[in-house]
């Protein structure tokens, strides 16, 4: 009897152990494949010196890729090497705005035509070894109050997840491209400072790794460019700079034909859908973002326009992305996918 009981106990222990091992294996598999995206292998690579610092349809593309292509780009920090980890306020005083926002690109996407949408998935964003933030006289939301140059630099390694602002203050690192967009339908050389309908300097800290951004194509080939990466930034970017940093970015492009007609960039994550609206005032930008979300709800979710307007009031979140990229400010509206029954 004791022997039989002992044998059964051994069997139970073996079975229990197998269940634990299977459970661990399943959990690991879930963690490896369900919670972390596999980054696709890049088919094309552009270096940090293959840049331009204006928006124009006249800028020749560096490469021509097919829809669905995966591109790896290296981007320079916003000053285009005018500043370094050892920079001082003297370097801020001498900072030239002419090369500001070196953008890696343009990339010509086959089949993209005006009226199409260029879908850009941000698969991977890796920080370089350093970053800087500064107060530049004459620039910033409170430029009339802060007229003295100031700078702080930061150093990173591959394990960094915080920026040490001081001995007591640490800022989470959530890198994103401050500038990205398609070429505007003009051969004039436009400044990269303000956001526009083509995208540009949106400075939206929600456009992080894993986000999919939609751009209204304005010229043949789309001519997509990206840069001005930020290691961290608050909504508003009130002093005019984020933690400006070099990066390596892997993104994927796809041409969407016969889709919705969007006037300005829109984006989504697993958790929400978002629209952007630029304007010379917060009111103008916020009203545009609200209208764009109503359009989205009406066209994509079949909602009555009055219902959509009311839902924006009940569940839509207006957010100020930036207030400093004169003459335009950018406001977004987020709508939870859980509210929409998409999760």
């Amino acid at each position: 009897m004791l022997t039989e009981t002992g044998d059964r106990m051994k069997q139970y222990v073996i079975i229990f152990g197998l269940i634990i091992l299977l459970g661990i294996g399943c959990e690991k598999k879930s963690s490896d494949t369900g919670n972390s995206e596999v980054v696709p292998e890049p088919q094309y690579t552009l270096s940090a010196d293959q840049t331009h610092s204006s928006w124009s349809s006249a800028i020749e593309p560096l490469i021509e890729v097919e829809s669905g292509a995966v591109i790896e780009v290296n981007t320079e920090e916003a000053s285009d090497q005018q500043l370094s980890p050892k920079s001082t306020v003297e370097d801020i005083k001498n900072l030239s705005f002419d090369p500001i926002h070196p953008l890696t690109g343009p990339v010509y996407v086959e089949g993209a035509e005006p009226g199409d949408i260029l879908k850009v998935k941000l698969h991977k964003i890796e920080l370089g070894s350093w970053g800087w933030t500064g107060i530049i006289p004459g620039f910033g939301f409170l430029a009339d109050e802060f007229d003295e140059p100031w700078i702080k630099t930061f150093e990173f390694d591959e394990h960094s997840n915080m920026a040490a602002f001081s001995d007591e203050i640490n800022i989470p690192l959530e890198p994103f491209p401050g500038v990205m967009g398609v070429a505007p339908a003009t051969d004039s050389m436009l400044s990269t400072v303000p956001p526009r309908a083509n995208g540009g300097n949106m400075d939206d800290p929600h456009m992080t790794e894993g986000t999919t951004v939609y751009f209204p194509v304005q010229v043949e080939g789309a001519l997509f460019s990206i840069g001005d990466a930020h290691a961290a930034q608050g909504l508003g970017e009130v002093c005019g700079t984020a933690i400006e940093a070099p990066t390596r970015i892997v993104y994927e492009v796809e041409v969407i034909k016969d889709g919705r007609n969007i006037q300005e960039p829109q984006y989504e994550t697993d958790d929400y859908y978002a629209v952007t609206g630029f304007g010379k005032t917060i009111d103008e930008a916020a009203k545009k973002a609200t209208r764009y979300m109503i359009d989205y709800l009406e066209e994509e979710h079949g909602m009555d326009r009055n219902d959509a307007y009311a839902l924006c009031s009940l569940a839509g979140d207006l957010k100020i992305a930036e207030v400093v990229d004169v003459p335009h400010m950018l406001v977004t509206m987020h709508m939870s996918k859980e509210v929409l029954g998409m999760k």
Side-chain angles (χ1 to χ4, degrees):
M1 184 71 178
L2 288 174
T3 303
E4 183 179 347
T5 302
D7 290 342
R8 284 183 180 176
M9 287 297 294
K10 288 179 182 179
Q11 289 175 352
Y12 291 153
V13 168
I14 292 170
I15 292 170
F16 183 68
L18 287 172
I19 290 172
I20 290 176
L21 287 172
L22 286 170
I24 293 172
C26 290
E27 184 179 350
K28 187 173 189 298
K29 183 177 181 181
S30 173
S31 174
D32 288 347
T33 61
N35 298 330
S36 58
E37 180 196 355
V38 176
V39 178
E41 190 70 25
Q43 300 159 280
Y44 304 89
T45 299
L46 294 175
S47 65
D49 58 359
Q50 293 179 288
T51 62
H52 61 94
S53 54
S54 299
W55 287 114
S56 176
S57 62
I59 300 173
E60 291 293 323
L62 297 175
I63 55 174
E64 185 171 322
V65 306
E66 66 280 7
S67 178
V70 178
I71 301 110
E72 171 191 44
V73 297
N74 293 283
T75 70
E76 193 50 82
E77 45 74 40
S79 80
D80 200 11
Q81 301 184 64
Q82 294 182 80
L83 301 177
S84 74
K86 299 187 182 299
S87 285
T88 67
V89 291
E90 292 301 316
D91 298 304
I92 290 288
K93 286 181 182 179
N94 297 323
L95 189 68
S96 169
F97 263 67
D98 291 339
I100 288 292
H101 297 154
L103 306 179
T104 306
V107 172
Y108 183 104
V109 185
E110 295 172 357
E113 299 173 313
D116 295 341
I117 293 173
L118 185 69
K119 174 182 176 182
V120 178
K121 176 67 179 285
L122 300 173
H123 284 293
K124 190 71 178 175
I125 304 174
E126 294 177 349
L127 278 177
S129 61
W130 77 287
W132 66 273
T133 192
I135 298 174
I136 302 168
F139 189 64
F141 199 41
L142 302 179
D144 55 339
E145 298 179 34
F146 293 85
D147 55 6
E148 293 295 322
W150 176 93
I151 189 172
K152 183 181 286 291
T153 61
F154 307 84
E155 293 187 2
F156 309 125
D157 60 34
E158 60 184 4
H159 304 296
S160 296
N161 58 13
M162 292 281 182
F165 189 82
S166 69
D167 290 341
E168 298 81 22
I169 299 172
N170 291 287
I171 303 168
L173 296 177
E174 297 184 51
F176 70 96
V179 179
M180 55 180 158
V182 295
T186 178
D187 58 4
S188 297
M189 295 293 170
L190 303 181
S191 167
T192 61
V193 172
R196 299 184 179 87
N198 68 308
N201 196 18
M202 295 181 285
D203 284 335
D204 184 345
H206 290 103
M207 295 181 181
T208 52
E209 187 177 290
T211 304
T212 298
V213 190
Y214 302 96
F215 297 90
V217 175
Q218 301 186 21
V219 301
E220 181 183 322
L223 301 181
F224 179 78
S225 300
I226 190 169
D228 181 38
H230 296 172
Q233 181 207 297
L235 286 165
E237 197 189 21
V238 292
C239 88
T241 60
I243 298 181
E244 314 288 339
T247 57
R248 171 185 174 267
I249 300 174
V250 177
Y251 67 86
E252 183 176 350
V253 292
E254 179 184 342
V255 178
I256 299 176
K257 292 187 174 290
D258 303 320
R260 294 174 52 238
N261 178 29
I262 63 173
Q263 287 76 43
E264 298 181 38
Q266 302 186 0
Y267 62 98
E268 66 179 318
T269 68
D270 290 341
D271 297 322
Y272 59 81
Y273 192 88
V275 297
T276 71
F278 74 88
K280 292 186 177 180
T281 66
I282 291 294
D283 281 358
E284 180 187 355
K287 286 180 178 179
K288 288 172 72 177
T290 303
R291 292 189 192 102
Y292 294 155
M293 183 57 78
I294 292 170
D295 292 341
Y296 165 74
L297 294 171
E298 186 179 26
E299 295 168 14
E300 289 295 309
H301 295 273
M303 294 186 68
D304 173 83
R305 199 160 181 83
N306 289 333
D307 287 347
Y309 183 31
L311 184 62
C312 287
S313 187
L314 301 180
D317 292 324
L318 283 172
K319 300 175 185 287
I320 299 172
E322 63 82 14
V323 293
V324 293
D325 298 327
V326 292
H328 297 150
M329 301 177 176
L330 193 84
V331 173
T332 69
M333 180 177 276
H334 291 197
M335 184 64 70
S336 163
K337 288 186 174 180
E338 186 173 4
V339 167
L340 294 174
M342 300 172 69
K343 288 191 68 175

